[in-house]
C-alpha cells in the first residue's frame, strides 16, 4: 500500500557534543519518507523554497520517493532549524527557526497523494493536519505526530484532529501533557476515547510502547555505543512503523501486526541516530534492517522456563 | 541455592498522591527478602531496635524467611525513613532519616548466612558491603545495589567494592554518574572492566536493561494502571532477579539465565508498586507471579515475519 506523508522539508543546522553540521537536508517529512521508502511507495508532500535544489530532489528520488508533491515556492526560502543538544543528548535547545515557505503552507494534495492507503501527518499545525486528512478520505490508516507547542497553544484543535485519525505517535511526556494524566495506561485510554485506537508512546533511549484497545506492547531502543545526532529519530520510527504496515496489505491492522511494526520503527530510528541528519539512513541497506530487527528480537525475548515457586 | 541479603530493615512513612502510611515495615533487605522468598531460602541480615516487635519477625517468617540474622540492639531504634513522592511519582523527596541502630552497624554473619551461594548487598556504605563480602567468600554470585550518596561521597570505595562482586544493579542515572559516561553501553563496559561482568540498569517505569559481556537484554516495566507507592521497587526487582537465579542451581550463570531472571525481577517490582510498602507482595501468590511473567512475555514478543524490503 502506498504511503503519503505531509510535513516539513527543511534545512537543519545541528550541533551535538560529537560534531556539527551547518546545513543538511532534514524535516519530519524527509526523515519519515526515507525510512518508509524501504517498505513501499512514498509520496512526500510539503513546501520548499528556491534554495531547494535539484540535488535534494535527486537524493529523495534515489530512494524511490515520489517528489511531485513537493511544492516549490518561487522567491521563498525552505524551512530552517538550528538546534543544539546537551552533553548526554537528553535535551535539545532550538537556537533559530525560520518558517520561510512553511508560514503560508496550504496543503493541496495531488491525486496520487490522495489515493494512498496510509497517511502520516507529521508534526504540523493541527488544523493543517485536518485539512490534509479531509483530502485523503480513502486512507485506511492515518497517523499523526504533534508536539508540546500545539498541546500548549491549540489543545482543543489537536483533540479535534485526533478524532480524524487512527493512530497517534507522541513522546511519553507529550502524551501525559495532552491528556493531563500521568499514568500512561490511563492516558492512552483517554486518547482511545477521543478516537485513535492506536497510541504509540515514544520514549527516546528507552524505546517505545504501543497501547491499543487490545493491549500493551513495548520494546527498548536498540542499544548503540555511538549516537551522534538524535534529530529525526521519531520520524524515522514512524516511517519504519508505517512502512511495515504498508508492506502487509493483506493482514488485519490489529495489535499483532502493529507490534511487529514497532520493531521496524525501532530499527529505523536506531540507524538514524548513528550519524548526522539523514547520513546513515541514506546509505542503509535492507539487509541491515533485517539484521537489526533479528538482533532486537534476541535482545528482548525470554523463555519463561517453569520455576518451582514457594 | 540459599540467598543472603544484607541491608536496611526499616520503618517507613510514605506519602504519595494516592495516600499515605505513617509507619510500615520497609527497608531494602525486607523488600528484597520478601520478593526472593518465593524462589528459595532467604537469610536476612540487618540491625533493628527495641521497636521491632514479634509481629514483624512473624511477618517475615510467614514467608519462610530466616530471621536469625536480624540483630536486635537493646535500647536502640530501628532505622526510620520518611519521604514523599511528586504528583506523577517520578520524583521523591526525603523528609526525614533517622539512622538509629544502623549508625553503628557492624555486620557479623551467622554460619548459615555465610554459607549462602547467592549474596545481595543492598544499598549500604560500600565499606560495609566489602566487610560482608569478605564473610561470604563462598558465594557463587554476589550482587550489589548502591545510590547517588555513595557515588558522590565514596566513589573510590564503591569502585573498590565493585571489584569484589559479580553484578551491580543501579538506576540508569546512577550508572552514568558513577562511570561519568552518558552512553549506557560504554558505561557498562567500564563497570565490566572494574570487575562485575553483569550490569543491571534500572529504569523505573521504563523497565530495566541487562548488560553482560555476552550482550544486551531489556524489558519494559509491566504496565500498570494503578501505581500507589514505588518504594522498594528496585529491591523487589533484585529479589525476583536473584531469587530466580537461586532457583536454577544447575544452569550456567550466563546471559540467557540472567535474561529470564530479568522477567521475574520485573514481575516482582510491578506487584510491589501496586500498593503501599510490602502490602501487595505480602499476599502475593506464586500463581500470580507465573501469570505476570507470561503476560510480560506476550507484551514484548514479536515475530519478525519476512518482509520484502526495497
Amino acid at each position: 500500500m502506498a504511503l503519503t506523508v505531509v510535513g516539513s522539508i527543511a534545512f537543519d543546522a545541528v550541533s551535538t557534543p560529537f560534531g556539527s553540521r551547518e546545513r543538511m537536508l532534514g524535516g519530519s517529512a524527509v526523515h519519515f519518507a526515507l525510512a518508509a521508502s524501504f517498505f513501499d511507495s512514498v509520496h512526500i508532500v510539503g513546501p520548499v523554497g528556491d534554495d531547494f535544489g535539484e540535488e535534494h530532489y535527486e537524493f529523495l528520488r534515489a530512494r524511490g520517493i515520489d517528489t511531485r508533491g513537493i511544492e516549490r515556492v518561487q522567491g521563498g526560502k525552505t524551512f530552517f532549524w538550528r538546534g543544539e543538544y546537551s552533553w548526554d543528548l537528553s535535551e535539545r535547545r532550538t537556537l533559530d527557526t525560520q518558517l520561510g515557505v512553511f508560514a503560508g503552507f496550504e496543503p493541496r494534495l495531488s491525486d496520487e497523494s490522495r489515493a494512498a492507503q496510509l497517511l502520516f501527518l507529521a508534526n504540523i499545525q493541527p488544523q493543517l493536519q485536518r485539512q490534509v486528512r479531509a483530502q485523503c478520505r480513502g486512507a485506511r490508516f492515518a497517523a499523526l505526530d504533534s508536539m508540546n507547542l500545539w498541546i500548549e497553544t491549540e489543545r482543543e484543535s489537536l483533540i479535534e484532529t485526533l478524532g480524524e485519525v487512527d493512530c497517534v505517535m507522541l513522546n511519553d511526556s507529550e502524551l501525559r501533557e495532552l491528556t493531563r494524566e500521568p499514568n500512561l495506561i490511563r492516558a492512552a485510554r483517554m486518547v482511545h476515547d477521543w478516537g485513535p485506537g492506536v497510541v504509540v508512546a515514544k520514549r527516546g533511549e528507552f524505546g517505545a510502547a504501543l497501547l491499543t484497545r487490545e493491549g500493551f506492547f513495548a520494546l527498548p531502543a536498540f542499544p548503540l555505543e555511538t549516537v551522534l545526532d538524535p534529530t529525526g529519530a521519531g520520524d524515522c520510527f514512524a516511517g519504519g512503523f508505517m512502512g511495515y504496515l504498508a508492506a502487509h496489505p493483506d493482514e488485519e491492522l490489529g495489535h499483532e501486526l502493529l507490534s511487529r511494526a514497532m520493531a521496524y520503527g525501532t530499527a529505523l530510528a536506531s540507524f538514524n541516530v548513528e550519524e548526522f541528519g539523514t547520513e546513515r539512513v541514506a546509505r542503509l541497506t535492507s539487509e541491515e534492517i533485517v539484521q537489526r530487527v533479528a538482533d532486537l528480537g534476541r535482545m528482548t525475548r525470554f523463555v519463561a522456563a517453569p520455576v518451582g515457586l514457594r
Side-chain angles (χ1 to χ4, degrees), chain A residues 4 18 29 39 43 51 73 100 121 128 135 155 160 185 196 227-228 245 270 279 291 298 303:
Chain A
T4 289
F18 311 106
F39 300 86
H43 308 284
D51 50 352
V73 181
L121 303 163
L128 287 184
Q135 294 177 50
R155 183 169 182 267
E160 188 184 335
I185 315 294
V227 175
L228 293 192
L245 301 181
S270 74
E279 291 167 13
Q291 184 60 52
R298 265 192 304 280
V303 180

Side-chain angles (χ1 to χ4, degrees), chain A residues 27-305:
Chain A
S28 53
V30 166
H31 286 290
F32 178 95
L34 285 172
S37 71
F38 288 90
F39 300 86
D40 219 317
S41 322
V42 181
H43 308 284
I44 185 171
V45 178
V48 298
D50 291 335
D51 50 352
F52 196 82
E54 189 53 35
E55 71 273 26
H56 302 116
Y57 284 102
E58 259 317 306
F59 176 79
L60 296 170
R61 284 185 197 129
R63 284 271 348 127
I65 297 164
D66 171 22
T67 59
R68 288 172 299 172
I70 296 180
E71 189 185 333
R72 198 148 186 261
V73 181
Q74 289 298 326
K77 287 194 85 174
T78 301
F79 181 87
F80 176 80
W81 178 76
R82 178 185 294 277
E84 75 176 6
Y85 288 83
S86 62
W87 73 285
D88 63 353
L89 302 175
S90 70
E91 282 166 52
R92 83 172 181 195
R93 202 155 62 98
T94 290
L95 301 176
D96 191 10
T97 304
Q98 294 174 23
L99 285 179
V101 295
F102 221 78
F105 179 46
E106 292 275 347
R108 280 182 304 273
L109 274 61
S110 67
D111 288 346
E112 294 80 14
S113 301
R114 286 168 194 257
Q117 290 207 269
L118 284 101
L119 173 65
F120 185 64
L121 303 163
N123 169 31
I124 53 176
Q125 215 180 349
Q127 181 210 325
L128 287 184
Q129 293 180 316
R130 282 202 301 283
Q131 284 179 27
V132 174
R133 183 69 182 103
Q135 294 177 50
C136 276
R137 268 296 138 231
R140 192 177 148 198
F141 189 81
L144 71 72
D145 184 15
S146 192
M147 73 186 292
N148 54 353
L149 173 67
W150 309 125
I151 294 169
E152 285 153 23
T153 61
E154 303 200 18
R155 183 169 182 267
E156 292 312 310
S157 176
L158 176 55
I159 292 173
E160 188 184 335
T161 309
L162 290 184
E164 306 286 319
V165 301
D166 307 286
C167 170
V168 54
M169 309 178 90
L170 287 175
N171 292 334
D172 213 77
S173 60
E174 291 166 347
L175 204 52
R176 286 161 215 252
E177 191 179 356
L178 171 66
T179 58
R180 297 168 182 167
E181 166 59 58
N183 181 281
L184 186 65
I185 315 294
R186 291 172 195 257
R189 193 169 303 147
M190 283 181 67
V191 175
H192 294 163
D193 288 344
W194 288 336
V198 181
V199 175
V200 175
K202 296 178 285 183
R203 297 164 153 187
E205 66 166 323
F206 301 121
L210 166 74
L211 302 105
T212 69
R213 293 197 180 91
E214 292 167 74
F216 177 93
F217 179 83
L219 286 175
F222 190 86
L224 294 171
E225 200 176 319
T226 302
V227 175
L228 293 192
D229 172 18
T231 312
D235 296 302
C236 281
F237 181 97
F241 179 85
M242 297 282 286
Y244 188 81
L245 301 181
H248 294 81
D250 301 329
E251 288 192 49
E252 188 203 347
L253 255 161
H255 190 76
E256 200 273 329
L257 176 64
L258 292 161
S259 297
R260 276 186 272 141
M262 292 280 289
Y264 287 83
T266 299
L268 268 297
S270 74
F271 285 116
N272 178 263
V273 303
E274 286 183 347
E275 297 181 21
F276 277 84
T278 60
E279 291 167 13
R280 181 68 179 93
V281 175
R283 58 180 172 71
L284 188 61
T285 67
S286 52
E287 290 73 22
E288 289 175 314
I289 297 173
V290 169
Q291 184 60 52
R292 186 150 290 186
V293 169
D295 289 343
L296 186 66
R298 265 192 304 280
M299 289 172 181
T300 56
R301 194 170 300 133
F302 66 92
V303 180

